[in-house]
Structure formats: structure tokens, C-alpha cells
Amino acid sequence: MHLRENRTQLREEWARRVTEDQLLTAMTKEEIFAEATTVYDNYVAVLETGSVEALQAYARDLSERIIPRGVEANEVVGIVLLLRDVLGRSLLKKYQSDLVLLNRVMDAYEPASNRIANTVAVSFVQERERIIRQQQEAIRELSTPVLQVRERLLILPIIGVIDSQRARQVTEQLLRGIRANRAKVVVIDITGVPTVDSTVANHLVQTVDASRLMGATVIVTGLSSEIAQTLVTIGVDLTKMKTVGDLQGGIEEAERLLGYKVILEESAKESETP
Amino acid sequence: MRVPILKQGGYLIASVQSALTDRDLLDLRDNLAQQVGKFRSRGVIIDVTSLDVLDSFAVRTLRTLAQMIRLRGAETVIAGIQPEIAFAMVQLGLDLGDVATALDLEEGLVLLERRTSGGGRRAKRSGN
């Protein structure tokens, strides 16, 4: 078949145009050429057989490799459409003289190449969504550690933005932690929460209330002056909450509530007596 | 189902074993208020560990129960609220007011001990 015979020439033409259009700038010329060879062969194979499965698998694999390097969807679709254009033109040139044959060739070529563009784009987006989902899950699992620092004392450092779903998850995890560790005091540190609005404040109030129902006292620490000002301005009622300036103060207060006393020994070693 | 009320020293322990109807709850409230006076108890613990539902009526009844007990001169502690229930309660905006809560029965007893000790006349009584 014509496209296979002129493989080298067409492939180079394509790679040249990809570089010309400044696509795939994240990859080196050699890399582009290597990938282009595989893509080209896959492309032609699909045109011949009409089966997109192999290409689909390849596109997914390729996406997995190039997404972390910052390749955008428009680039991927762009190169496939370029290849389609290059091959189409070459076919046009070759069969120009015989309009009937050209018609037949185009009838076969157009739908197949459309399907390829479609497949590649969908594979790319799917792969990207899969990665995003994976990362979201990873963040979610990392984001809410409930840590025991003393017998019956838990700390819960919250870092990042709190939305409803996360607030719910934090609360559930904390409540489970309270039961599992038989905690009496919990210190929630929100130093790492960038902004607090009324929704977040309400989530906090809910968490505190729920913990109280489980018999635990909650101390909130790490309210910055900006956050304090916002809360006062929007008029959130935080009177039910015990707040201490920083995490250290919070833990000291919690120790006091639990009856711990930390004394500095002469040898400058810390020890504690319950 | 009737809720058994156990006397333990100066305290009464109501251990809820199964889901309660509204009628059961009201009976529990009246019985406790009555027995607090009869046994001259200093504190009441309502253990709800085995409950997996607390509706608004139950919460309201527990709140009024605690207020009644306080008027009768004793303290009330709700012990053993499950995490799921605690979460559902705050979501639904159900509030136990200033009723004391504890993780479980043991914690509840410790809490009552602390709240009612040093209370003069009653603290001197040896538990009978």
C-alpha cells in the first residue's frame, strides 16, 4: 500500500510539521521521532485492518508516559490531526489523476482516520482523568491523620482547603479515632488551612459538637489573626469552642486538662509525671 | 422494651439494650426522675452504647430528662454515643444542650465521681 511504501518520507514530513507547529515542546526531537514512528505504524495498521484496539492500548500507554511531562490535550489531538492531514494530502497527490479511485480511497480513509483521532483523544482524556482520580485519592488519604500524642490525647492537624466532603471525612475519622484510642481531649490544628469562611467554620463547629457527644473535649489551635478577623467579621459563633493560639499551647492546655505535668529535669531532659 | 435501671452506689445506671419507642423513653424519664429521689442518688448514667438510632424525639427527651434530674439534685451523663450517631446528630442539628457526655460507662462513672465529689453532705455518705 502507498502509505507503507512511502513510510520514511511521510513520517519525516509529519515530524517536521509537528516541530514547525511547536507541538510537543516538552519532548526532544529524537523522542518525537521515535514516538512518531510507532504512532505512524499504528495509524497505518488501523487504516489497513480497521481495528482500533491496538492503537487504543498504545494511546493509553503513550498518555501515561507523556502526561507527567506536561503534554496538553490540544497537542496530542494536534499531532494526530496533522498526521491525518499529511497522509490525506499524500493520498490526494497520488490518486489525483484517477478521480474514481481517489473517491474510493477517500471513502475508506476519512472515516477510519476520524475514528483514530477520536480514539486517541478519548484515550488521552481517560488516562488523564484516571491519574487525577488517583491523585485525589492519595491526597484524601494523606490529608487527615489522627495522631495520638499522649494517652487519651489526640491531635488532628488539618492542612489544605476544607470542603464539605473533606469535613465529613475528617469528622468521621476523628470520631472513630476517639473511640479507638479512648480519647478525652482532641487538639485540632488549623494552621495549614489557608482560608476559613462560614461554611468551614460551621464544619468545625459540627466536628466539635460531635466529638463532645462522644465525651471528648476539643481544643482548636492555629487560628491566625486574619482568620480570627474574618470569623468575627462574618459573625460566626465560636463561643462553644475552646481555642488556643498555637499547637504547643493547645497541647499544653490538653495536658493540663488530662492532669499531666511536664517538668524539665536538671539534666535538661524532659520527663513527665501523670 | 423496658429499660433496666441499676443502682450502683450513689449512682443510677440505665442501660439501654434495644431500640426504644417513644413510650419507653417517656417511661424511662419518669422512672429515673422518681428513683433518683427514692435512692437519693447523686448521679445518673444513661448508657446508649447499643443504640444505633437517636431521633429528635429521643434527643429532646434525654435533654428534658437531664433537666429534670438536675432539678432533683443529681447529675446526668449520657454515655456511649456511637460515632455514626454523633455525626448524624450534628448533621441534623440535634443538640443535647449542656448535658454531660462520656465515651462509655467507665468514663461516665469517672466523670460523675469528679463532678459530685466534694459535694459536702452527700460526698460523706458511704455508698450504700
Side-chain angles (χ1 to χ4, degrees):
Chain A
M1 194 174 164
H2 166 69
L3 295 179
R4 223 179 247 300
E5 282 155 22
N6 296 306
R7 177 168 177 257
T8 317
Q9 183 222 325
L10 287 173
R11 197 179 56 196
E12 265 159 17
E13 158 85 5
W14 178 42
R16 191 177 55 72
R17 290 201 44 194
V18 167
T19 328
E20 247 171 46
D21 285 19
Q22 307 224 310
L23 294 168
L24 295 179
T25 43
M27 294 164 79
T28 65
K29 223 177 173 130
E30 291 74 34
E31 277 177 315
I32 294 180
F33 191 75
E35 294 292 358
T37 313
T38 330
V39 174
Y40 186 92
D41 289 344
N42 268 304
Y43 200 101
V44 176
V46 174
L47 287 179
E48 278 170 353
T49 61
S51 150
V52 290
E53 268 150 36
L55 180 70
Q56 210 164 15
Y58 171 73
R60 201 162 289 152
D61 177 57
L62 176 66
S63 307
E64 201 174 320
R65 273 180 287 133
I66 60 177
I67 287 173
R69 311 186 47 177
V71 176
E72 295 294 330
N74 67 331
E75 292 183 298
V76 171
V77 177
I79 58 170
V80 175
L81 291 181
L82 264 181
L83 178 58
R84 181 181 186 277
D85 190 47
V86 169
L87 297 187
R89 269 171 207 285
S90 125
L91 287 174
L92 194 68
K93 211 190 256 165
K94 171 151 187 193
Y95 298 112
Q96 215 160 27
S97 47
D98 186 350
L99 274 183
V100 181
L101 186 59
L102 177 66
N103 241 339
R104 261 189 26 226
V105 169
M106 280 303 171
D107 274 353
Y109 174 72
E110 286 288 325
S113 58
N114 280 348
R115 211 159 87 219
I116 293 172
N118 212 335
T119 309
V120 171
V122 167
S123 303
F124 182 81
V125 171
Q126 272 175 350
E127 181 61 28
R128 184 122 123 183
E129 275 170 359
R130 194 184 63 80
I131 290 178
I132 293 175
R133 261 199 310 276
Q134 217 172 32
Q135 287 171 342
Q136 260 175 348
E137 243 151 66
I139 293 172
R140 211 168 287 152
E141 271 168 34
L142 282 174
S143 63
T144 49
V146 178
L147 312 165
Q148 177 160 1
V149 285
R150 293 236 191 292
E151 196 70 18
R152 329 211 58 186
L153 166 56
L154 295 180
I155 58 171
L156 175 73
I158 302 181
I159 292 166
V161 181
I162 309 179
D163 55 12
S164 299
Q165 198 201 355
R166 178 142 183 241
R168 186 193 177 92
Q169 201 199 357
V170 167
T171 310
E172 277 171 4
Q173 216 151 331
L174 177 62
L175 295 183
R176 270 200 298 272
I178 290 175
R179 186 170 60 175
N181 298 302
R182 297 178 53 81
K184 269 205 89 70
V185 183
V186 179
V187 179
I188 300 181
D189 181 63
I190 58 164
T191 315
V193 180
T195 50
V196 173
D197 56 11
S198 58
T199 329
V200 176
N202 278 331
H203 287 318
L204 272 177
V205 172
Q206 283 193 347
T207 310
V208 172
D209 281 348
S211 308
R212 211 181 68 84
L213 288 172
M214 303 265 306
T217 312
V218 177
I219 301 172
V220 179
T221 67
L223 284 145
S224 66
S225 53
E226 289 88 6
I227 290 179
Q229 197 176 11
T230 338
L231 290 181
V232 173
T233 316
I234 57 181
V236 180
D237 181 25
L238 293 177
T239 45
K240 278 193 285 182
M241 269 195 224
K242 221 189 240 302
T243 50
V244 179
D246 57 7
L247 183 60
Q248 183 188 352
I251 291 179
E252 280 165 6
E253 169 73 10
E255 281 169 341
R256 205 183 53 73
L257 285 175
L258 288 167
Y260 285 107
K261 208 196 249 158
V262 180
I263 36 173
L264 191 68
E265 271 188 81
E266 272 175 48
S267 56
K269 265 193 203 154
E270 262 192 11
S271 74
E272 56 194 53
T273 48
Chain B
M1 194 191 127
R2 257 180 55 104
V3 179
I5 298 173
L6 317 168
K7 189 166 108 49
Q8 148 71 38
Y11 307 126
L12 292 179
I13 299 169
S15 176
V16 180
Q17 302 295 339
S18 61
L20 297 177
T21 63
D22 292 358
R23 186 69 247 163
D24 294 333
L25 274 163
L26 294 176
D27 284 346
L28 172 67
R29 184 190 69 186
D30 298 343
N31 286 342
L32 271 176
Q34 194 201 354
Q35 296 201 12
V36 160
K38 186 168 149 203
F39 295 119
R40 311 191 65 216
S41 304
R42 290 173 290 155
V44 172
I45 297 177
I46 300 165
D47 182 14
V48 295
T49 310
S50 45
L51 275 192
D52 43 21
V53 179
L54 266 184
D55 60 12
S56 59
F57 182 81
V59 172
R60 188 151 47 92
T61 311
L62 287 176
R63 211 169 47 216
T64 48
L65 189 156
Q67 280 161 358
M68 284 168 66
I69 303 287
R70 188 167 304 139
L71 290 174
R72 302 278 277 160
E75 288 280 341
T76 307
V77 176
I78 314 277
I81 296 180
Q82 297 297 315
E84 299 77 33
I85 297 184
F87 192 64
M89 281 174 67
V90 293
Q91 292 264 299
L92 296 172
L94 301 177
D95 190 8
L96 272 176
D98 47 7
V99 182
T101 47
L103 190 67
D104 52 21
L105 186 59
E106 190 186 346
E107 284 302 308
L109 281 168
V110 173
L111 185 69
L112 274 186
E113 201 73 55
R114 212 171 49 220
R115 287 207 171 190
T116 55
S117 66
R121 166 181 72 94
R122 278 184 169 171
K124 279 187 198 128
R125 268 178 49 187
S126 55
N128 54 336

